């Protein structure tokens, strides 16, 4: 079993052996660990409308994350994550395959236990549908949330089955989990409707505006409310993230996404996920590497 010190032993190579996200220790009962933040993989892609395969996403992000584990104080932050946040990885959610309803039940009860123990969650998808049960658990603990949503799609589509990765942000306001009036969507470049009530900084605007300007607009919108950050990797242009189910050309770069996250100051980010990484469509692991960097900067933003 790993412990925190192993990560820093210089004679251990970064890539070998078993490991959690950022080589964090593996705890299969995370609510009993002394970690401040818990990483959970969710190997679920049954709600995908396009190309499947993101059930393998969490494992690919973990594997990519080891490349960032050697940096104690991550560039360009002015503190080291481990000085403010103890991290554990509880592996992947266990649920009966072929039963999306059972996944929802398993994820809600897992998230209730982790959040109930006072820990923050970083969840690695899986398809974007996993955000809905995660929002339910977070709203039970924190009340109505402000959503900060990075995506090529609004995911507010009204049609679809009960398990559809394009419908969560139509359902979440109806269930009272999030308030669009406090919420922002960054990078959308497919059809969306203003009457859904979100502040949308669309793909071209997100490329053109400065990261600071975008971050200030998001903060103003969410001010005073607990924030749930959901990052669909297809927010990035397919040049930076080809390994995803529903890629849409015209997105922001990985550099811009990192700049926006790093510019977020004083947001109370109570939970986050990075979803829709589909390694079967990836090349050279670039999508998983981008997702791992984004996930790590989200943890820094949580801790800042
Ligand atoms: Mn999405």
């Amino acid at each position: 079993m790993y412990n925190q010190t192993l990560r820093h032993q210089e004679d251990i190579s970064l890539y070998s052996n078993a490991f959690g996200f950022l080589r964090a220790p593996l705890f299969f009962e995370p609510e009993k660990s002394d970690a401040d933040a818990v990483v959970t993989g969710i190997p679920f892609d049954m709600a995908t409308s396009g190309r499947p395969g993101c059930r393998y996403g969490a494992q690919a992000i973990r594997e990519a994350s080891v490349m960032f584990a050697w940096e104690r104080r991550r560039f360009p932050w002015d503190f080291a994550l481990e000085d403010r946040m103890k991290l554990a990885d509880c592996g992947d959610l266990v649920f009966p395959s072929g039963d999306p309803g059972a996944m929802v039940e398993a994820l809600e009860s897992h998230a209730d236990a982790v959040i109930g123990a006072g820990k923050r969650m970083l969840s690695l998808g899986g398809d974007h549908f996993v955000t809905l049960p995660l929002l339910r658990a977070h709203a039970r603990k924190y009340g109505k949330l402000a959503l900060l949503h990075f995506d090529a799609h609004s995911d507010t589509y009204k049609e679809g089955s009960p398990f559809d990765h394009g419908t969560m942000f139509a359902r979440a306001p109806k269930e009272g989990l999030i308030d669009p009036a406090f919420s922002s969507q960054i990078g959308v470049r497919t059809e969306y409707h203003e009457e859904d009530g979100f502040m949308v900084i669309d793909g071209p605007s997100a490329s053109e505006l400065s990261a600071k300007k975008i971050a200030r607009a998001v903060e103003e919108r969410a001010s005073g409310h607990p924030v749930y950050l959901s990052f669909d990797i297809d927010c990035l242009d397919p040049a930076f993230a080809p390994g995803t189910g529903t890629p849409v050309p015209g997105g922001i770069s990985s550099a811009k996404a990192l700049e926006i996250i790093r510019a977020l100051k004083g947001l109370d980010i109570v939970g986050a996920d990075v979803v829709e990484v589909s390694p079967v469509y990836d090349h050279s692991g670039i999508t998983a590497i981008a997702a791992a960097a984004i996930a790590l900067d989200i943890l820094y933003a949580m801790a800042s």
Side-chain angles (χ1 to χ4, degrees):
M1 185 53 80
Y2 281 93
N3 58 46
Q4 191 75 15
T5 55
L6 192 57
R7 227 185 90 197
H8 298 301
Q9 284 179 12
E10 279 163 18
D11 55 343
I12 300 286
S13 70
L14 281 175
Y15 51 85
S16 66
N17 227 311
F19 44 78
F21 182 80
L22 206 65
R23 298 199 74 94
L26 288 163
F27 278 103
F28 295 108
E29 292 180 296
E31 65 278 14
K32 294 181 187 165
S33 84
D34 63 352
D36 308 302
V38 170
V39 176
T40 303
I42 309 161
F44 173 85
D45 59 13
M46 289 183 70
T48 306
S49 56
R51 310 183 298 183
C54 57
R55 65 180 60 187
Y56 301 110
Q59 203 57 286
I61 297 169
R62 274 194 196 96
E63 194 177 322
S65 75
V66 301
M67 279 186 274
F68 304 115
W70 63 273
E71 236 178 349
R72 205 185 93 80
R73 179 169 62 81
R74 173 167 168 73
F75 176 87
W77 295 89
D78 59 4
F79 65 94
L81 186 67
E82 63 188 28
D83 291 341
R84 297 197 188 174
M85 180 185 268
K86 195 162 187 190
L87 198 61
D89 188 325
C90 65
D92 289 344
L93 185 76
V94 176
F95 57 90
S97 64
D99 187 344
M103 184 284 291
V104 169
E105 266 178 50
L107 181 51
E108 283 192 42
S109 81
H110 168 76
D112 282 339
V114 173
I115 301 165
K119 302 173 191 315
R120 305 236 156 161
M121 288 184 75
L122 169 70
S123 303
L124 306 175
D127 73 45
H128 212 159
F129 186 76
V130 303
T131 303
L132 186 61
L134 287 165
L135 283 174
R136 288 182 187 136
H138 283 81
R140 274 195 283 275
K141 165 84 172 179
Y142 296 102
K144 198 173 272 191
L145 302 153
L147 179 72
L148 171 51
H149 173 207
F150 294 81
D151 206 317
H153 314 85
S154 70
D155 292 351
T156 54
Y157 310 115
K158 272 91 190 167
E159 305 297 320
S161 82
F163 305 101
D164 184 314
H165 73 154
T167 58
M168 301 78 61
F169 307 128
R171 296 174 64 182
K174 279 190 196 149
E175 292 187 24
L177 312 176
I178 63 171
D179 190 336
F182 312 140
S183 302
S184 309
Q185 298 183 306
I186 315 287
V188 176
R189 52 192 183 280
T190 50
E191 185 178 16
Y192 70 94
H193 301 282
E194 272 175 21
E195 58 266 31
D196 290 329
F198 295 88
M199 177 180 78
V200 177
I201 299 177
D202 65 24
S205 305
S207 292
E208 197 176 314
L209 293 170
S210 75
K212 279 188 183 132
K213 207 162 189 176
I214 294 168
R216 294 299 87 80
V218 166
E219 286 160 7
E220 203 172 298
R221 185 97 175 164
S223 175
H225 302 280
V227 175
Y228 187 91
L229 195 165
S230 185
F231 200 112
D232 186 325
I233 203 68
D234 73 22
C235 179
L236 304 185
D237 190 88
F240 303 93
T244 192
T246 48
V248 183
I252 59 174
S253 67
S254 44
K256 187 62 172 280
L258 293 171
E259 273 181 60
I260 296 168
I261 293 163
R262 290 164 183 171
L264 297 171
K265 307 267 182 234
L267 273 191
D268 182 20
I269 303 171
V270 297
D273 59 55
V274 180
V275 297
E276 297 282 350
V277 172
S278 183
V280 292
Y281 294 102
D282 208 0
H283 301 277
S284 316
I286 62 171
T287 311
I289 293 166
I294 285 164
L296 183 49
D297 268 358
I298 290 171
L299 287 174
Y300 267 87
M302 258 185 195
S304 72

